[in-house]
Amino acid sequence: MTHIELTVNGAKQSGEVEPRLLLIHYLREHLGLRAANVGCDTTSCGACTVLLDGKSVKSCTVLAVQADGHAVTTAEGLATDAGLHPVQAAFRQNHGLQCGFCTPGMVMAAVGLLAENPHPTEAEVRTGLEGNFCRCTGYHNIVRAVLAAAQAQAQAEQEQAETAEVRA
Ligand code: FES
Ligand code: FES
């Protein structure tokens, strides 16, 4: 067994894990965080996507011991007391989900994508999410949701800048 210490959704976690334990199983079975799903276990579908230090990763491809000392964010960690994360809100408003199985992974991949590229084109969104499969094939609305989230984030940033300017 190996001792690990990490931050998950802002909370410190520690424990003993098998060196071969995958991060997805650590999150689901040790911490009870079940938003990230196991769709394939072969790095193909993206249902298990989470953020590792702010970058989206497929947690079926990362060992829990590799997350030692790092920060993991799952879909459970996105919303705040103020409400849904802009990406979650945009998925809801644009009907970016059907059965919902791919959705937590798709949302986390979108959050990672917008962190790297806050103003993506439609083509960049499609390319950025190509590692995430939706078996309900709702891609059109998913892309629309990510573009809407990018727009909402840009607008919020502009409003914050204007407020700061007025206060200065
Ligand atoms: S379960 Fe990880 S990519 Fe499919
Ligand atoms: S909404 Fe069903 S798999 Fe994507």
Side-chain angles (χ1 to χ4, degrees):
M1 301 290 267
T2 303
H3 183 76
I4 60 170
E5 294 183 14
L6 66 165
T7 303
V8 180
N9 296 336
K12 298 273 182 211
Q13 300 288 350
S14 63
E16 309 297 317
V17 297
E18 290 274 358
R20 64 182 177 175
L21 182 72
L22 295 171
L23 180 58
I24 181 69
H25 296 308
Y26 174 72
L27 294 170
R28 289 179 61 86
E29 290 150 27
H30 287 236
L31 302 186
L33 296 170
R34 296 179 181 267
N37 285 315
V38 181
C40 67
D41 234 351
T42 55
T43 327
S44 304
C45 74
C48 62
T49 304
V50 300
L51 300 183
L52 184 62
D53 292 339
K55 296 200 171 201
S56 65
V57 295
K58 293 179 177 177
S59 60
C60 72
T61 312
V62 178
L63 294 167
V65 293
Q66 290 177 295
D68 183 29
H70 296 276
V72 175
T73 308
T74 70
E76 288 97 334
L78 288 183
T80 64
D81 289 343
L84 292 176
H85 184 281
V87 173
Q88 292 174 308
F91 267 68
R92 187 178 183 181
Q93 281 155 10
N94 291 275
H95 308 290
L97 64 150
Q98 291 173 63
C99 79
F101 186 81
C102 73
T103 311
M106 203 65 89
V107 165
M108 298 316 291
V111 172
L113 168 68
L114 294 181
E116 277 179 21
N117 180 3
H119 309 291
T121 63
E122 181 176 334
E124 286 169 341
V125 172
R126 289 185 186 278
T127 304
L129 297 182
E130 68 186 3
N132 289 67
F133 296 163
C134 175
R135 285 169 196 266
C136 299
T137 69
Y139 295 107
H140 194 64
N141 283 358
I142 289 170
V143 171
R144 192 179 288 171
V146 178
L147 290 170
Q151 207 171 9
Q153 285 186 341
Q155 202 173 331
E157 277 165 25
Q158 196 182 334
E159 283 168 8
Q160 274 175 2
E162 282 169 5
T163 307
E165 221 169 88
V166 169
R167 284 186 182 154

